[in-house]
Amino acid sequence: MESPGQANFPKKRADIPNRFRIHHLVPDDVSETIDLPETVENFHAVQPLGEGEWLLVRGRADDEEDRNAHIYDGTGRHVRSFHAGDGIQEVQTTKDGRYG
């Protein structure tokens, strides 16, 4: 329920599992698709990392123990997670796989 004049935040988690798909171009303008496993996470940003990995981030976190950043490999397998902070609006990565 929204209240006029109150902040509106995106949902951290879905009521039913999400199915995310990453579409991207590889050399020679070939399109590639990566299907991720179902998750209740609501990702708000995605960026490529080095070594064919992908960083997906949920913009809100409950606390410092809430791992709201997830890394997937090129086959869609979940590799690792970490806490990226709360109130994330944008995510940027570098060609050598650094993020911030």
Side-chain angles (χ1 to χ4, degrees), residues 9-54:
F9 298 104
K11 286 181 70 171
K12 291 177 265 196
R13 292 173 187 84
D15 297 328
I16 59 172
N18 287 310
R19 301 283 324 247
F20 289 98
R21 175 176 282 170
I22 299 171
H23 296 280
H24 66 102
L25 293 177
V26 293
D28 298 323
D29 289 332
V30 175
S31 179
E32 186 174 273
T33 300
I34 301 169
D35 288 313
L36 304 182
E38 286 188 351
T39 180
V40 294
E41 292 288 344
N42 278 334
F43 295 124
H44 304 114
V46 60
Q47 286 288 304
L49 292 173
E51 306 299 318
E53 293 182 326
W54 292 85

Side-chain angles (χ1 to χ4, degrees), residues 55-69:
L55 172 65
L56 285 87
V57 177
R58 175 174 28 93
R60 300 304 312 245
D62 292 322
D63 54 36
E64 291 187 12
E65 300 298 316
D66 186 1
R67 296 175 177 219
N68 59 327

